[in-house]
Amino acid sequence: EKYQKWLAKILQNNEKSLKLLDSIEKLGCKLPNNFFQLQKCVPDKKMSGGFSVYTGEQEGKYNPAVILCTDRKIDRTTFENTVVHELVHAYDQCRIKLDWKSCLHHACTEIRASSLSGECSFYEELSRGNFAMSAGHQKCVKRRAKLSVKMNPNCSEITEDAVNAAFTNC
């Protein structure tokens, strides 16, 4: 119930979320009614959410979803950043039809999502014990993008190379 309330407020008040949803709509991508899904997540993965392109019984059926983990102990700011992060993926998917098996595509959207979501703000980095004064945002974005790309079985062996190769352009 707490997460449902948080999500409702974010979707009413968070400027980044509202802008991303509006932009997705303007690009012509229709989001399903169950686009935001609150659920328990994979126990051994340290993630607060995810973006799924294909769901349902038929592999290949486009049915995007933002999954928000309800079994993690996270604060509202982290939850809000997660919503924005996953919406960046939804926007990128709508705009360029990402190939999630391409490590460069995956790295690019993770770089953008980590940079734009707020998860690499000075406050968030401080709460993680990271005190980098020089290029702190860039270091955080690379670190967070690598964590996400590493979970892709197609990219786990070349994560660092993919993120480094995509970083400047993305």
Side-chain angles (χ1 to χ4, degrees), residues 85 89 92 98-115 141-142 144-146 148-150 152 155 158-167 170:
H85 180 111
H89 295 324
D92 287 347
L98 293 167
D99 175 1
W100 290 91
K101 292 179 183 175
S102 164
C103 300
L104 288 175
H105 278 208
H106 192 172
C108 189
T109 193
E110 292 299 347
I111 289 163
R112 288 172 38 73
S114 293
S115 182
V141 168
K142 278 188 177 182
R144 306 283 298 172
K146 287 175 192 174
S148 295
V149 174
K150 191 165 190 70
N152 181 336
C155 306
I158 60 166
T159 297
E160 184 142 354
D161 290 340
V163 170
N164 288 337
F167 191 78
C170 299

PDB file of all heavy atoms in Angstrom, residues 85 89 92 98-115 141-142 144-146 148-150 152 155 158-167 170:
ATOM      1  N   HIS A  85      14.192   6.350 -13.561  1.00  0.00           N
ATOM      2  CA  HIS A  85      15.194   5.528 -14.244  1.00  0.00           C
ATOM      3  C   HIS A  85      14.520   4.586 -15.254  1.00  0.00           C
ATOM      4  O   HIS A  85      14.909   4.521 -16.417  1.00  0.00           O
ATOM      5  CB  HIS A  85      15.979   4.719 -13.196  1.00  0.00           C
ATOM      6  CG  HIS A  85      17.035   3.830 -13.754  1.00  0.00           C
ATOM      7  ND1 HIS A  85      18.377   4.078 -13.564  1.00  0.00           N
ATOM      8  CD2 HIS A  85      16.963   2.687 -14.484  1.00  0.00           C
ATOM      9  CE1 HIS A  85      19.071   3.121 -14.167  1.00  0.00           C
ATOM     10  NE2 HIS A  85      18.236   2.261 -14.724  1.00  0.00           N
ATOM     11  N   HIS A  89      14.227   4.254 -19.708  1.00  0.00           N
ATOM     12  CA  HIS A  89      14.307   3.068 -20.571  1.00  0.00           C
ATOM     13  C   HIS A  89      13.074   2.972 -21.475  1.00  0.00           C
ATOM     14  O   HIS A  89      13.189   2.652 -22.658  1.00  0.00           O
ATOM     15  CB  HIS A  89      14.415   1.786 -19.744  1.00  0.00           C
ATOM     16  CG  HIS A  89      15.673   1.669 -18.949  1.00  0.00           C
ATOM     17  ND1 HIS A  89      16.901   2.117 -19.382  1.00  0.00           N
ATOM     18  CD2 HIS A  89      15.900   1.124 -17.724  1.00  0.00           C
ATOM     19  CE1 HIS A  89      17.821   1.863 -18.471  1.00  0.00           C
ATOM     20  NE2 HIS A  89      17.234   1.262 -17.448  1.00  0.00           N
ATOM     21  N   ASP A  92      13.471   5.526 -24.218  1.00  0.00           N
ATOM     22  CA  ASP A  92      14.476   5.088 -25.190  1.00  0.00           C
ATOM     23  C   ASP A  92      13.940   3.955 -26.053  1.00  0.00           C
ATOM     24  O   ASP A  92      14.166   3.927 -27.264  1.00  0.00           O
ATOM     25  CB  ASP A  92      15.762   4.649 -24.486  1.00  0.00           C
ATOM     26  CG  ASP A  92      16.560   5.821 -23.920  1.00  0.00           C
ATOM     27  OD1 ASP A  92      16.267   6.986 -24.259  1.00  0.00           O
ATOM     28  OD2 ASP A  92      17.501   5.561 -23.138  1.00  0.00           O
ATOM     29  N   LEU A  98      15.182  -0.178 -28.828  1.00  0.00           N
ATOM     30  CA  LEU A  98      16.440  -0.745 -28.365  1.00  0.00           C
ATOM     31  C   LEU A  98      16.539  -2.240 -28.657  1.00  0.00           C
ATOM     32  O   LEU A  98      15.551  -2.966 -28.565  1.00  0.00           O
ATOM     33  CB  LEU A  98      16.586  -0.551 -26.849  1.00  0.00           C
ATOM     34  CG  LEU A  98      16.740   0.869 -26.353  1.00  0.00           C
ATOM     35  CD1 LEU A  98      16.558   0.929 -24.843  1.00  0.00           C
ATOM     36  CD2 LEU A  98      18.095   1.427 -26.736  1.00  0.00           C
ATOM     37  N   ASP A  99      17.733  -2.674 -28.962  1.00  0.00           N
ATOM     38  CA  ASP A  99      18.039  -4.097 -29.051  1.00  0.00           C
ATOM     39  C   ASP A  99      18.725  -4.451 -27.735  1.00  0.00           C
ATOM     40  O   ASP A  99      19.898  -4.143 -27.538  1.00  0.00           O
ATOM     41  CB  ASP A  99      18.965  -4.368 -30.245  1.00  0.00           C
ATOM     42  CG  ASP A  99      19.429  -5.817 -30.319  1.00  0.00           C
ATOM     43  OD1 ASP A  99      19.027  -6.633 -29.458  1.00  0.00           O
ATOM     44  OD2 ASP A  99      20.199  -6.128 -31.243  1.00  0.00           O
ATOM     45  N   TRP A 100      17.993  -5.081 -26.831  1.00  0.00           N
ATOM     46  CA  TRP A 100      18.496  -5.355 -25.483  1.00  0.00           C
ATOM     47  C   TRP A 100      19.592  -6.413 -25.474  1.00  0.00           C
ATOM     48  O   TRP A 100      20.256  -6.615 -24.460  1.00  0.00           O
ATOM     49  CB  TRP A 100      17.345  -5.715 -24.556  1.00  0.00           C
ATOM     50  CG  TRP A 100      16.497  -4.513 -24.299  1.00  0.00           C
ATOM     51  CD1 TRP A 100      15.408  -4.111 -25.009  1.00  0.00           C
ATOM     52  CD2 TRP A 100      16.689  -3.523 -23.288  1.00  0.00           C
ATOM     53  NE1 TRP A 100      14.912  -2.933 -24.499  1.00  0.00           N
ATOM     54  CE2 TRP A 100      15.675  -2.559 -23.444  1.00  0.00           C
ATOM     55  CE3 TRP A 100      17.619  -3.357 -22.258  1.00  0.00           C
ATOM     56  CZ2 TRP A 100      15.569  -1.448 -22.614  1.00  0.00           C
ATOM     57  CZ3 TRP A 100      17.510  -2.259 -21.428  1.00  0.00           C
ATOM     58  CH2 TRP A 100      16.490  -1.313 -21.611  1.00  0.00           C
ATOM     59  N   LYS A 101      19.815  -7.079 -26.602  1.00  0.00           N
ATOM     60  CA  LYS A 101      20.933  -8.027 -26.700  1.00  0.00           C
ATOM     61  C   LYS A 101      22.214  -7.299 -27.098  1.00  0.00           C
ATOM     62  O   LYS A 101      23.303  -7.841 -26.959  1.00  0.00           O
ATOM     63  CB  LYS A 101      20.611  -9.133 -27.700  1.00  0.00           C
ATOM     64  CG  LYS A 101      19.509 -10.043 -27.200  1.00  0.00           C
ATOM     65  CD  LYS A 101      19.179 -11.114 -28.220  1.00  0.00           C
ATOM     66  CE  LYS A 101      18.024 -11.959 -27.699  1.00  0.00           C
ATOM     67  NZ  LYS A 101      17.586 -12.936 -28.695  1.00  0.00           N
ATOM     68  N   SER A 102      22.069  -6.069 -27.582  1.00  0.00           N
ATOM     69  CA  SER A 102      23.234  -5.251 -27.936  1.00  0.00           C
ATOM     70  C   SER A 102      23.767  -4.589 -26.672  1.00  0.00           C
ATOM     71  O   SER A 102      23.070  -3.786 -26.036  1.00  0.00           O
ATOM     72  CB  SER A 102      22.845  -4.174 -28.959  1.00  0.00           C
ATOM     73  OG  SER A 102      23.849  -3.178 -29.009  1.00  0.00           O
ATOM     74  N   CYS A 103      24.997  -4.901 -26.343  1.00  0.00           N
ATOM     75  CA  CYS A 103      25.592  -4.341 -25.118  1.00  0.00           C
ATOM     76  C   CYS A 103      25.752  -2.827 -25.212  1.00  0.00           C
ATOM     77  O   CYS A 103      25.642  -2.132 -24.206  1.00  0.00           O
ATOM     78  CB  CYS A 103      26.924  -5.022 -24.828  1.00  0.00           C
ATOM     79  SG  CYS A 103      26.740  -6.805 -24.579  1.00  0.00           S
ATOM     80  N   LEU A 104      25.989  -2.315 -26.411  1.00  0.00           N
ATOM     81  CA  LEU A 104      26.094  -0.861 -26.571  1.00  0.00           C
ATOM     82  C   LEU A 104      24.747  -0.185 -26.380  1.00  0.00           C
ATOM     83  O   LEU A 104      24.672   0.880 -25.750  1.00  0.00           O
ATOM     84  CB  LEU A 104      26.689  -0.505 -27.939  1.00  0.00           C
ATOM     85  CG  LEU A 104      28.179  -0.798 -28.106  1.00  0.00           C
ATOM     86  CD1 LEU A 104      28.625  -0.516 -29.535  1.00  0.00           C
ATOM     87  CD2 LEU A 104      29.011   0.003 -27.110  1.00  0.00           C
ATOM     88  N   HIS A 105      23.677  -0.758 -26.910  1.00  0.00           N
ATOM     89  CA  HIS A 105      22.335  -0.206 -26.691  1.00  0.00           C
ATOM     90  C   HIS A 105      22.004  -0.222 -25.206  1.00  0.00           C
ATOM     91  O   HIS A 105      21.520   0.775 -24.655  1.00  0.00           O
ATOM     92  CB  HIS A 105      21.279  -1.021 -27.440  1.00  0.00           C
ATOM     93  CG  HIS A 105      21.138  -0.676 -28.876  1.00  0.00           C
ATOM     94  ND1 HIS A 105      19.959  -0.832 -29.562  1.00  0.00           N
ATOM     95  CD2 HIS A 105      22.018  -0.179 -29.778  1.00  0.00           C
ATOM     96  CE1 HIS A 105      20.108  -0.454 -30.812  1.00  0.00           C
ATOM     97  NE2 HIS A 105      21.355  -0.063 -30.973  1.00  0.00           N
ATOM     98  N   HIS A 106      22.247  -1.365 -24.573  1.00  0.00           N
ATOM     99  CA  HIS A 106      21.924  -1.493 -23.158  1.00  0.00           C
ATOM    100  C   HIS A 106      22.747  -0.498 -22.339  1.00  0.00           C
ATOM    101  O   HIS A 106      22.220   0.186 -21.459  1.00  0.00           O
ATOM    102  CB  HIS A 106      22.154  -2.929 -22.678  1.00  0.00           C
ATOM    103  CG  HIS A 106      21.587  -3.184 -21.327  1.00  0.00           C
ATOM    104  ND1 HIS A 106      21.531  -4.437 -20.782  1.00  0.00           N
ATOM    105  CD2 HIS A 106      21.050  -2.374 -20.383  1.00  0.00           C
ATOM    106  CE1 HIS A 106      20.983  -4.378 -19.584  1.00  0.00           C
ATOM    107  NE2 HIS A 106      20.690  -3.123 -19.322  1.00  0.00           N
ATOM    108  N   ALA A 107      24.045  -0.413 -22.626  1.00  0.00           N
ATOM    109  CA  ALA A 107      24.906   0.523 -21.898  1.00  0.00           C
ATOM    110  C   ALA A 107      24.420   1.961 -22.069  1.00  0.00           C
ATOM    111  O   ALA A 107      24.365   2.732 -21.103  1.00  0.00           O
ATOM    112  CB  ALA A 107      26.354   0.388 -22.369  1.00  0.00           C
ATOM    113  N   CYS A 108      24.043   2.322 -23.284  1.00  0.00           N
ATOM    114  CA  CYS A 108      23.607   3.693 -23.553  1.00  0.00           C
ATOM    115  C   CYS A 108      22.372   4.059 -22.735  1.00  0.00           C
ATOM    116  O   CYS A 108      22.317   5.108 -22.099  1.00  0.00           O
ATOM    117  CB  CYS A 108      23.346   3.875 -25.044  1.00  0.00           C
ATOM    118  SG  CYS A 108      23.050   5.602 -25.498  1.00  0.00           S
ATOM    119  N   THR A 109      21.374   3.191 -22.733  1.00  0.00           N
ATOM    120  CA  THR A 109      20.157   3.526 -21.981  1.00  0.00           C
ATOM    121  C   THR A 109      20.415   3.521 -20.477  1.00  0.00           C
ATOM    122  O   THR A 109      19.823   4.305 -19.746  1.00  0.00           O
ATOM    123  CB  THR A 109      18.970   2.617 -22.380  1.00  0.00           C
ATOM    124  OG1 THR A 109      17.774   3.193 -21.838  1.00  0.00           O
ATOM    125  CG2 THR A 109      19.128   1.187 -21.931  1.00  0.00           C
ATOM    126  N   GLU A 110      21.319   2.669 -19.999  1.00  0.00           N
ATOM    127  CA  GLU A 110      21.651   2.676 -18.563  1.00  0.00           C
ATOM    128  C   GLU A 110      22.407   3.950 -18.193  1.00  0.00           C
ATOM    129  O   GLU A 110      22.179   4.523 -17.120  1.00  0.00           O
ATOM    130  CB  GLU A 110      22.463   1.441 -18.176  1.00  0.00           C
ATOM    131  CG  GLU A 110      21.705   0.134 -18.254  1.00  0.00           C
ATOM    132  CD  GLU A 110      20.488   0.035 -17.337  1.00  0.00           C
ATOM    133  OE1 GLU A 110      20.314   0.870 -16.427  1.00  0.00           O
ATOM    134  OE2 GLU A 110      19.702  -0.900 -17.526  1.00  0.00           O
ATOM    135  N   ILE A 111      23.289   4.393 -19.055  1.00  0.00           N
ATOM    136  CA  ILE A 111      24.015   5.648 -18.819  1.00  0.00           C
ATOM    137  C   ILE A 111      23.021   6.803 -18.733  1.00  0.00           C
ATOM    138  O   ILE A 111      23.065   7.615 -17.809  1.00  0.00           O
ATOM    139  CB  ILE A 111      25.062   5.884 -19.934  1.00  0.00           C
ATOM    140  CG1 ILE A 111      26.211   4.887 -19.786  1.00  0.00           C
ATOM    141  CG2 ILE A 111      25.559   7.332 -19.931  1.00  0.00           C
ATOM    142  CD1 ILE A 111      27.085   4.750 -21.029  1.00  0.00           C
ATOM    143  N   ARG A 112      22.114   6.860 -19.690  1.00  0.00           N
ATOM    144  CA  ARG A 112      21.114   7.935 -19.699  1.00  0.00           C
ATOM    145  C   ARG A 112      20.219   7.869 -18.455  1.00  0.00           C
ATOM    146  O   ARG A 112      19.948   8.876 -17.821  1.00  0.00           O
ATOM    147  CB  ARG A 112      20.269   7.853 -20.979  1.00  0.00           C
ATOM    148  CG  ARG A 112      21.028   8.265 -22.232  1.00  0.00           C
ATOM    149  CD  ARG A 112      20.273   8.007 -23.527  1.00  0.00           C
ATOM    150  NE  ARG A 112      18.841   8.250 -23.471  1.00  0.00           N
ATOM    151  CZ  ARG A 112      18.258   9.467 -23.432  1.00  0.00           C
ATOM    152  NH1 ARG A 112      19.008  10.542 -23.451  1.00  0.00           N
ATOM    153  NH2 ARG A 112      16.942   9.572 -23.397  1.00  0.00           N
ATOM    154  N   ALA A 113      19.771   6.677 -18.120  1.00  0.00           N
ATOM    155  CA  ALA A 113      18.866   6.522 -16.974  1.00  0.00           C
ATOM    156  C   ALA A 113      19.566   6.875 -15.667  1.00  0.00           C
ATOM    157  O   ALA A 113      18.987   7.540 -14.808  1.00  0.00           O
ATOM    158  CB  ALA A 113      18.323   5.094 -16.927  1.00  0.00           C
ATOM    159  N   SER A 114      20.812   6.452 -15.517  1.00  0.00           N
ATOM    160  CA  SER A 114      21.550   6.772 -14.288  1.00  0.00           C
ATOM    161  C   SER A 114      21.821   8.270 -14.192  1.00  0.00           C
ATOM    162  O   SER A 114      21.773   8.845 -13.107  1.00  0.00           O
ATOM    163  CB  SER A 114      22.872   5.996 -14.245  1.00  0.00           C
ATOM    164  OG  SER A 114      22.616   4.618 -14.119  1.00  0.00           O
ATOM    165  N   SER A 115      22.089   8.884 -15.316  1.00  0.00           N
ATOM    166  CA  SER A 115      22.390  10.312 -15.324  1.00  0.00           C
ATOM    167  C   SER A 115      21.153  11.173 -15.081  1.00  0.00           C
ATOM    168  O   SER A 115      21.210  12.166 -14.350  1.00  0.00           O
ATOM    169  CB  SER A 115      23.023  10.690 -16.659  1.00  0.00           C
ATOM    170  OG  SER A 115      23.366  12.056 -16.671  1.00  0.00           O
ATOM    171  N   VAL A 141      27.575   7.624 -12.580  1.00  0.00           N
ATOM    172  CA  VAL A 141      26.827   7.161 -13.751  1.00  0.00           C
ATOM    173  C   VAL A 141      27.497   5.912 -14.329  1.00  0.00           C
ATOM    174  O   VAL A 141      26.828   4.910 -14.612  1.00  0.00           O
ATOM    175  CB  VAL A 141      26.702   8.276 -14.814  1.00  0.00           C
ATOM    176  CG1 VAL A 141      26.203   7.726 -16.141  1.00  0.00           C
ATOM    177  CG2 VAL A 141      25.787   9.382 -14.308  1.00  0.00           C
ATOM    178  N   LYS A 142      28.808   5.941 -14.480  1.00  0.00           N
ATOM    179  CA  LYS A 142      29.519   4.770 -15.009  1.00  0.00           C
ATOM    180  C   LYS A 142      29.354   3.563 -14.079  1.00  0.00           C
ATOM    181  O   LYS A 142      29.079   2.455 -14.539  1.00  0.00           O
ATOM    182  CB  LYS A 142      31.010   5.077 -15.195  1.00  0.00           C
ATOM    183  CG  LYS A 142      31.326   5.801 -16.466  1.00  0.00           C
ATOM    184  CD  LYS A 142      32.839   5.884 -16.665  1.00  0.00           C
ATOM    185  CE  LYS A 142      33.154   6.538 -17.985  1.00  0.00           C
ATOM    186  NZ  LYS A 142      34.590   6.589 -18.249  1.00  0.00           N
ATOM    187  N   ARG A 144      27.005   2.925 -11.823  1.00  0.00           N
ATOM    188  CA  ARG A 144      25.623   2.433 -11.794  1.00  0.00           C
ATOM    189  C   ARG A 144      25.241   1.754 -13.120  1.00  0.00           C
ATOM    190  O   ARG A 144      24.566   0.737 -13.128  1.00  0.00           O
ATOM    191  CB  ARG A 144      24.659   3.572 -11.485  1.00  0.00           C
ATOM    192  CG  ARG A 144      24.956   4.364 -10.225  1.00  0.00           C
ATOM    193  CD  ARG A 144      24.576   3.726  -8.961  1.00  0.00           C
ATOM    194  NE  ARG A 144      23.146   3.510  -8.914  1.00  0.00           N
ATOM    195  CZ  ARG A 144      22.546   2.824  -7.957  1.00  0.00           C
ATOM    196  NH1 ARG A 144      23.240   2.289  -6.987  1.00  0.00           N
ATOM    197  NH2 ARG A 144      21.244   2.670  -7.972  1.00  0.00           N
ATOM    198  N   ALA A 145      25.699   2.315 -14.237  1.00  0.00           N
ATOM    199  CA  ALA A 145      25.423   1.700 -15.540  1.00  0.00           C
ATOM    200  C   ALA A 145      26.067   0.321 -15.624  1.00  0.00           C
ATOM    201  O   ALA A 145      25.449  -0.639 -16.109  1.00  0.00           O
ATOM    202  CB  ALA A 145      25.912   2.604 -16.671  1.00  0.00           C
ATOM    203  N   LYS A 146      27.279   0.199 -15.130  1.00  0.00           N
ATOM    204  CA  LYS A 146      27.966  -1.101 -15.153  1.00  0.00           C
ATOM    205  C   LYS A 146      27.211  -2.140 -14.332  1.00  0.00           C
ATOM    206  O   LYS A 146      27.106  -3.298 -14.750  1.00  0.00           O
ATOM    207  CB  LYS A 146      29.405  -0.956 -14.640  1.00  0.00           C
ATOM    208  CG  LYS A 146      30.321  -0.255 -15.608  1.00  0.00           C
ATOM    209  CD  LYS A 146      31.693  -0.031 -14.984  1.00  0.00           C
ATOM    210  CE  LYS A 146      32.526   0.912 -15.827  1.00  0.00           C
ATOM    211  NZ  LYS A 146      33.802   1.252 -15.183  1.00  0.00           N
ATOM    212  N   SER A 148      24.037  -2.356 -13.835  1.00  0.00           N
ATOM    213  CA  SER A 148      22.851  -2.783 -14.578  1.00  0.00           C
ATOM    214  C   SER A 148      23.207  -3.633 -15.801  1.00  0.00           C
ATOM    215  O   SER A 148      22.584  -4.668 -16.047  1.00  0.00           O
ATOM    216  CB  SER A 148      22.034  -1.572 -15.018  1.00  0.00           C
ATOM    217  OG  SER A 148      21.513  -0.900 -13.902  1.00  0.00           O
ATOM    218  N   VAL A 149      24.184  -3.194 -16.569  1.00  0.00           N
ATOM    219  CA  VAL A 149      24.554  -3.911 -17.787  1.00  0.00           C
ATOM    220  C   VAL A 149      25.114  -5.292 -17.445  1.00  0.00           C
ATOM    221  O   VAL A 149      24.890  -6.259 -18.173  1.00  0.00           O
ATOM    222  CB  VAL A 149      25.556  -3.089 -18.637  1.00  0.00           C
ATOM    223  CG1 VAL A 149      26.061  -3.885 -19.832  1.00  0.00           C
ATOM    224  CG2 VAL A 149      24.909  -1.784 -19.098  1.00  0.00           C
ATOM    225  N   LYS A 150      25.797  -5.399 -16.326  1.00  0.00           N
ATOM    226  CA  LYS A 150      26.380  -6.682 -15.910  1.00  0.00           C
ATOM    227  C   LYS A 150      25.300  -7.751 -15.703  1.00  0.00           C
ATOM    228  O   LYS A 150      25.561  -8.941 -15.852  1.00  0.00           O
ATOM    229  CB  LYS A 150      27.197  -6.498 -14.635  1.00  0.00           C
ATOM    230  CG  LYS A 150      28.049  -7.693 -14.291  1.00  0.00           C
ATOM    231  CD  LYS A 150      29.085  -7.317 -13.261  1.00  0.00           C
ATOM    232  CE  LYS A 150      30.092  -8.408 -13.064  1.00  0.00           C
ATOM    233  NZ  LYS A 150      30.997  -8.605 -14.179  1.00  0.00           N
ATOM    234  N   ASN A 152      22.835  -8.277 -17.629  1.00  0.00           N
ATOM    235  CA  ASN A 152      22.439  -8.775 -18.940  1.00  0.00           C
ATOM    236  C   ASN A 152      23.370  -9.937 -19.306  1.00  0.00           C
ATOM    237  O   ASN A 152      24.576  -9.734 -19.457  1.00  0.00           O
ATOM    238  CB  ASN A 152      22.547  -7.651 -19.976  1.00  0.00           C
ATOM    239  CG  ASN A 152      22.129  -8.061 -21.358  1.00  0.00           C
ATOM    240  OD1 ASN A 152      22.162  -9.219 -21.723  1.00  0.00           O
ATOM    241  ND2 ASN A 152      21.757  -7.076 -22.157  1.00  0.00           N
ATOM    242  N   CYS A 155      25.991  -9.483 -21.893  1.00  0.00           N
ATOM    243  CA  CYS A 155      26.991  -8.428 -21.709  1.00  0.00           C
ATOM    244  C   CYS A 155      27.869  -8.598 -20.474  1.00  0.00           C
ATOM    245  O   CYS A 155      28.750  -7.775 -20.245  1.00  0.00           O
ATOM    246  CB  CYS A 155      26.287  -7.076 -21.623  1.00  0.00           C
ATOM    247  SG  CYS A 155      25.194  -6.734 -23.008  1.00  0.00           S
ATOM    248  N   ILE A 158      31.620  -8.257 -20.993  1.00  0.00           N
ATOM    249  CA  ILE A 158      32.178  -7.053 -21.634  1.00  0.00           C
ATOM    250  C   ILE A 158      31.534  -5.765 -21.105  1.00  0.00           C
ATOM    251  O   ILE A 158      31.542  -4.741 -21.777  1.00  0.00           O
ATOM    252  CB  ILE A 158      32.049  -7.125 -23.170  1.00  0.00           C
ATOM    253  CG1 ILE A 158      30.581  -7.243 -23.596  1.00  0.00           C
ATOM    254  CG2 ILE A 158      32.875  -8.254 -23.747  1.00  0.00           C
ATOM    255  CD1 ILE A 158      30.364  -6.978 -25.073  1.00  0.00           C
ATOM    256  N   THR A 159      31.009  -5.841 -19.904  1.00  0.00           N
ATOM    257  CA  THR A 159      30.293  -4.709 -19.313  1.00  0.00           C
ATOM    258  C   THR A 159      31.107  -3.424 -19.324  1.00  0.00           C
ATOM    259  O   THR A 159      30.648  -2.384 -19.788  1.00  0.00           O
ATOM    260  CB  THR A 159      29.862  -5.044 -17.871  1.00  0.00           C
ATOM    261  OG1 THR A 159      28.949  -6.140 -17.925  1.00  0.00           O
ATOM    262  CG2 THR A 159      29.228  -3.870 -17.185  1.00  0.00           C
ATOM    263  N   GLU A 160      32.308  -3.482 -18.786  1.00  0.00           N
ATOM    264  CA  GLU A 160      33.135  -2.277 -18.678  1.00  0.00           C
ATOM    265  C   GLU A 160      33.438  -1.683 -20.049  1.00  0.00           C
ATOM    266  O   GLU A 160      33.326  -0.472 -20.247  1.00  0.00           O
ATOM    267  CB  GLU A 160      34.441  -2.586 -17.935  1.00  0.00           C
ATOM    268  CG  GLU A 160      35.263  -1.344 -17.725  1.00  0.00           C
ATOM    269  CD  GLU A 160      35.955  -1.315 -16.385  1.00  0.00           C
ATOM    270  OE1 GLU A 160      35.734  -2.188 -15.549  1.00  0.00           O
ATOM    271  OE2 GLU A 160      36.712  -0.359 -16.200  1.00  0.00           O
ATOM    272  N   ASP A 161      33.795  -2.522 -21.004  1.00  0.00           N
ATOM    273  CA  ASP A 161      34.081  -2.038 -22.364  1.00  0.00           C
ATOM    274  C   ASP A 161      32.848  -1.393 -22.991  1.00  0.00           C
ATOM    275  O   ASP A 161      32.946  -0.354 -23.638  1.00  0.00           O
ATOM    276  CB  ASP A 161      34.566  -3.195 -23.254  1.00  0.00           C
ATOM    277  CG  ASP A 161      35.952  -3.686 -22.875  1.00  0.00           C
ATOM    278  OD1 ASP A 161      36.700  -2.924 -22.207  1.00  0.00           O
ATOM    279  OD2 ASP A 161      36.295  -4.823 -23.248  1.00  0.00           O
ATOM    280  N   ALA A 162      31.667  -2.010 -22.809  1.00  0.00           N
ATOM    281  CA  ALA A 162      30.441  -1.469 -23.398  1.00  0.00           C
ATOM    282  C   ALA A 162      30.109  -0.102 -22.809  1.00  0.00           C
ATOM    283  O   ALA A 162      29.790   0.841 -23.545  1.00  0.00           O
ATOM    284  CB  ALA A 162      29.285  -2.439 -23.188  1.00  0.00           C
ATOM    285  N   VAL A 163      30.185   0.022 -21.488  1.00  0.00           N
ATOM    286  CA  VAL A 163      29.870   1.304 -20.840  1.00  0.00           C
ATOM    287  C   VAL A 163      30.877   2.371 -21.247  1.00  0.00           C
ATOM    288  O   VAL A 163      30.499   3.502 -21.589  1.00  0.00           O
ATOM    289  CB  VAL A 163      29.781   1.144 -19.304  1.00  0.00           C
ATOM    290  CG1 VAL A 163      29.701   2.511 -18.614  1.00  0.00           C
ATOM    291  CG2 VAL A 163      28.591   0.268 -18.921  1.00  0.00           C
ATOM    292  N   ASN A 164      32.150   2.029 -21.253  1.00  0.00           N
ATOM    293  CA  ASN A 164      33.180   3.002 -21.651  1.00  0.00           C
ATOM    294  C   ASN A 164      33.004   3.438 -23.101  1.00  0.00           C
ATOM    295  O   ASN A 164      33.162   4.611 -23.424  1.00  0.00           O
ATOM    296  CB  ASN A 164      34.587   2.445 -21.413  1.00  0.00           C
ATOM    297  CG  ASN A 164      34.928   2.384 -19.948  1.00  0.00           C
ATOM    298  OD1 ASN A 164      34.365   3.092 -19.113  1.00  0.00           O
ATOM    299  ND2 ASN A 164      35.855   1.505 -19.602  1.00  0.00           N
ATOM    300  N   ALA A 165      32.671   2.489 -23.978  1.00  0.00           N
ATOM    301  CA  ALA A 165      32.496   2.807 -25.402  1.00  0.00           C
ATOM    302  C   ALA A 165      31.295   3.705 -25.642  1.00  0.00           C
ATOM    303  O   ALA A 165      31.319   4.575 -26.510  1.00  0.00           O
ATOM    304  CB  ALA A 165      32.365   1.521 -26.216  1.00  0.00           C
ATOM    305  N   ALA A 166      30.242   3.521 -24.863  1.00  0.00           N
ATOM    306  CA  ALA A 166      29.001   4.279 -25.077  1.00  0.00           C
ATOM    307  C   ALA A 166      28.961   5.588 -24.299  1.00  0.00           C
ATOM    308  O   ALA A 166      28.141   6.460 -24.598  1.00  0.00           O
ATOM    309  CB  ALA A 166      27.801   3.412 -24.682  1.00  0.00           C
ATOM    310  N   PHE A 167      29.826   5.743 -23.322  1.00  0.00           N
ATOM    311  CA  PHE A 167      29.678   6.830 -22.349  1.00  0.00           C
ATOM    312  C   PHE A 167      29.624   8.223 -22.973  1.00  0.00           C
ATOM    313  O   PHE A 167      28.697   8.980 -22.694  1.00  0.00           O
ATOM    314  CB  PHE A 167      30.789   6.773 -21.295  1.00  0.00           C
ATOM    315  CG  PHE A 167      30.529   7.694 -20.142  1.00  0.00           C
ATOM    316  CD1 PHE A 167      29.636   7.340 -19.151  1.00  0.00           C
ATOM    317  CD2 PHE A 167      31.152   8.918 -20.057  1.00  0.00           C
ATOM    318  CE1 PHE A 167      29.364   8.193 -18.093  1.00  0.00           C
ATOM    319  CE2 PHE A 167      30.892   9.778 -19.005  1.00  0.00           C
ATOM    320  CZ  PHE A 167      30.004   9.415 -18.023  1.00  0.00           C
ATOM    321  N   CYS A 170      26.414   8.843 -25.128  1.00  0.00           N
ATOM    322  CA  CYS A 170      25.107   8.654 -24.472  1.00  0.00           C
ATOM    323  C   CYS A 170      24.950   9.536 -23.258  1.00  0.00           C
ATOM    324  O   CYS A 170      23.852   9.762 -22.807  1.00  0.00           O
ATOM    325  CB  CYS A 170      24.953   7.191 -24.085  1.00  0.00           C
ATOM    326  SG  CYS A 170      25.008   6.113 -25.542  1.00  0.00           S
TER     327      CYS A 170
END
